[in-house]
Amino acid sequence: MFVDESGSTVNFIDLFAGAGGLSEGFIQAGFNPIAHIEMNAMAAATLETRAAYHYMKKHKPLMRWYYEYERGNITREKLFQYIPDEVTKTIINAEMSPENIAGIFRQIDDIMQEDNVKKVNVIVGGPPCQAYSLVGRAQSSHMLVPMSDDPRNELYKMYARFLKKYQPDIFVFENVEGLKTARKGASFKNLQAQLRRVGYVIECHEQNAVDFGVLQNRKRLIIIGWRKGTNYHYPVFEKLQSKALVNDLLSDLPVLERGEQEFTYRVPCAQASRYVKDNQLRTRNDVLTHHVARNNTPRDVEIYRRAIEAWNNNHRRLKYSELPDELKTHRNQTSFIDRFKVVEGDCTSCHTVLAHLSKDGHYFIHPDINQCRSISGREAARLQTSPHSYYFEGNRTSQYVQIGNAVPPIMARRIAEAIRKMIETQKAEASVTKDMQSKNSIIA
């Protein structure tokens, strides 16, 4: 646990927490979570389960019950009988809105009072990105409510109210690239003005998860702000591109037939790739979960086979317009012609994992032609660098949404480590200054 010079924990609040990818990185870096606010009930349940995991990990004899829960041998109710109520009180399942925000503040204030937390050091999070998504905007002409009128465009105001209320030294705001151009740039301009208005210096840069050691091209805007009058800055992130291949992420997972599920490892942890072991994505005691393959139709299987052959033979993407008529089901052959896409197993990064996984698996086809299927939930979580101990609640559709929307924990951890280093440096410098002032006072 990361503590300051007085021995106090260094604390954060996670807004629009989703399934907790950003939180996971900060927890791994030693930060203490005060609260996670998430409106989706299944994502909030995932956060509770993850909180149970972290508690049981600290109390090792209890871990057996976590593994029993993952295996399906005990109920969720039974699992939480081993967890003190205060462990899950940090998860607030509520919508961020003008009507609810005062109540959320009260809940957080109660948590801080009960736990004797004096300060919120960092606020992290990002509003739902669909309202800013470039893909979403391309499809908005078919929506009942135009993307430009989506109320989620205004959620940054809720973020700003948290900054004004709790005055953290630093905040991290994560979102998609489309935020800059949404509503012809008005959303981004208003966001910056709002964050500055509540007392913060801000800087925004596009970051790619692949530069943080994640085997995925995932470009995101990372806005970092610090309170006016402090000496913080936007960290310089050293590029840590891995030489591992995407197949190294998948190689130790059991082969699946379409419609099959597997909850038993066939390859020992010791034989997992160096990347998997070095990043602790799988440990010796982990239980295999979420490794379930869709039961793809014969038409899809034939298309997948063609797509995999095209990619594996010469790294060529299959175009929808190239398919024979008997395999086509869409009239539109001029847009989204790459709707069938193979995960780039023989490359050092794959394309962006998306929540669209919940709709179908056409955009995430397993690179092994012998399996010829879309990827499982566990494989998607691997691409996102979620540890195998991460259990996603809800049905498969909900799990895919949670996985696709998450910030890769490895990326989040490296952002958190850079911020931790800044905080430690600032505290050390303040301590030296205080000592010098004290010595000068004595001499005088």
Side-chain angles (χ1 to χ4, degrees):
M1 185 68 73
F2 178 23
V3 297
D4 61 20
E5 72 279 358
S6 69
S8 300
T9 56
V10 180
N11 311 294
F12 74 98
I13 294 173
D14 189 3
L15 308 180
F16 313 100
L22 197 51
S23 275
E24 181 69 15
F26 273 79
I27 291 170
Q28 289 181 11
F31 288 79
N32 175 61
I34 297 172
H36 310 79
I37 296 90
E38 171 54 42
M39 68 175 289
N40 181 273
M42 286 300 97
T46 295
L47 291 168
E48 290 176 344
T49 302
R50 194 62 183 165
Y53 166 81
H54 283 299
Y55 176 83
M56 289 176 156
K57 187 179 179 182
K58 291 177 183 176
H59 302 81
K60 292 191 183 299
L62 294 176
M63 277 302 294
R64 60 170 290 205
W65 298 112
Y66 186 79
Y67 296 139
E68 286 296 290
Y69 175 65
E70 286 190 305
R71 292 187 182 100
N73 293 337
I74 65 171
T75 65
R76 182 174 170 81
E77 182 181 20
K78 179 71 172 178
L79 173 71
F80 282 94
Q81 288 178 5
Y82 298 97
I83 306 295
D85 290 342
E86 58 264 26
V87 172
T88 56
K89 72 183 179 185
T90 63
I91 290 87
I92 300 173
N93 180 206
E95 181 181 2
M96 297 268 281
S97 67
E99 296 76 22
N100 293 344
I101 197 165
I104 295 172
F105 285 160
R106 284 194 296 272
Q107 286 182 265
I108 294 174
D109 291 346
D110 288 344
I111 291 170
M112 293 178 68
Q113 184 175 8
E114 290 172 15
D115 294 349
N116 196 29
V117 174
K118 304 297 184 184
K119 179 176 176 59
V120 177
N121 302 89
V122 184
I123 286 180
V124 304
C129 62
Q130 291 86 348
Y132 308 126
S133 165
L134 296 172
V135 174
R137 267 183 271 158
Q139 298 173 334
S140 65
S141 60
H142 306 294
M143 299 171 64
L144 294 176
V145 179
M147 192 76 64
S148 59
D149 296 331
D150 193 318
R152 292 174 296 185
N153 283 316
E154 303 294 314
L155 287 175
Y156 65 84
K157 294 179 181 178
M158 298 295 100
Y159 199 109
R161 288 186 65 176
F162 269 82
L163 296 177
K164 185 176 180 179
K165 162 79 172 171
Y166 292 106
Q167 292 289 298
D169 293 329
I170 305 174
F171 71 82
V172 179
F173 184 108
E174 179 268 349
N175 221 284
V176 292
E177 298 172 280
L179 172 59
K180 275 193 168 182
T181 54
R183 300 166 74 187
K184 299 182 179 179
S187 292
F188 189 57
K189 182 178 179 180
N190 293 340
L191 165 66
Q192 293 178 88
Q194 194 80 17
L195 297 177
R196 292 187 175 113
R197 193 174 298 126
V198 294
Y200 286 83
V201 179
I202 65 170
E203 197 169 326
C204 174
H205 294 283
E206 180 188 281
Q207 303 291 348
N208 192 335
V210 76
D211 294 327
F212 292 77
V214 179
L215 306 188
Q216 180 188 161
N217 274 302
R218 189 183 188 89
K219 295 180 180 179
R220 289 293 185 270
L221 291 183
I222 304 294
I223 303 172
I224 295 178
W226 51 95
R227 226 168 3 96
K228 292 176 183 176
T230 59
N231 294 321
Y232 294 107
H233 57 85
Y234 198 102
V236 176
F237 297 111
E238 178 186 357
K239 290 189 177 183
L240 296 171
Q241 291 185 349
S242 174
K243 295 180 180 179
L245 299 179
V246 173
N247 278 333
D248 293 329
L249 275 174
L250 309 176
S251 60
D252 63 301
L253 292 170
V255 171
L256 289 181
E257 297 288 337
R258 293 171 293 279
E260 186 182 17
Q261 56 189 15
E262 179 63 74
F263 300 131
T264 303
Y265 291 110
R266 298 175 187 172
V267 175
C269 185
Q271 295 178 24
S273 70
R274 176 58 56 190
Y275 182 91
V276 168
K277 289 187 288 189
D278 286 350
N279 289 288
Q280 296 187 315
L281 300 183
R282 176 184 168 191
T283 59
R284 183 171 56 87
N285 295 319
D286 281 336
V287 175
L288 180 59
T289 57
H290 308 311
H291 197 41
V292 181
R294 282 185 168 96
N295 193 9
N296 303 115
T297 66
R299 178 190 286 113
D300 289 342
V301 172
E302 177 57 24
I303 295 173
Y304 289 3
R305 185 188 63 77
R306 291 167 182 255
I308 296 169
E309 283 182 342
W311 176 259
N312 289 349
N313 288 342
N314 56 12
H315 282 196
R316 186 178 67 82
R317 293 295 188 192
L318 177 72
K319 296 180 180 179
Y320 189 74
S321 55
E322 298 172 3
L323 292 173
D325 289 341
E326 63 267 21
L327 293 178
K328 293 176 182 175
T329 57
H330 298 273
R331 293 181 181 177
N332 186 345
Q333 298 185 40
T334 58
S335 61
F336 295 105
I337 59 174
D338 65 342
R339 66 188 71 191
F340 291 92
K341 205 163 190 175
V342 180
V343 172
E344 301 88 327
D346 56 353
C347 296
T348 55
S349 61
C350 68
H351 57 284
T352 306
V353 176
L354 303 169
H356 183 78
L357 263 168
S358 65
K359 305 295 184 184
D360 58 58
H362 301 337
Y363 211 64
F364 301 94
I365 302 168
H366 197 289
D368 180 5
I369 198 165
N370 292 318
Q371 297 187 63
C372 206
R373 59 174 175 80
S374 54
I375 61 174
S376 71
R378 180 49 62 192
E379 288 162 339
R382 272 278 179 97
L383 298 176
Q384 285 281 59
T385 70
S386 296
H388 269 232
S389 57
Y390 221 112
Y391 188 85
F392 298 91
E393 299 289 354
N395 59 27
R396 186 174 65 187
T397 297
S398 176
Q399 291 165 5
Y400 274 133
V401 170
Q402 293 174 54
I403 293 167
N405 282 336
V407 176
I410 285 179
M411 181 182 187
R413 186 184 74 231
R414 295 206 163 124
I415 292 171
E417 288 170 345
I419 289 174
R420 172 176 176 161
K421 185 176 180 179
M422 280 201 302
I423 292 174
E424 289 174 330
T425 300
Q426 291 293 316
K427 290 183 181 298
E429 291 175 353
S431 180
V432 169
T433 300
K434 185 177 179 180
D435 287 345
M436 290 182 65
Q437 290 174 341
S438 178
K439 290 178 182 178
N440 291 336
S441 176
I442 292 172
I443 293 171

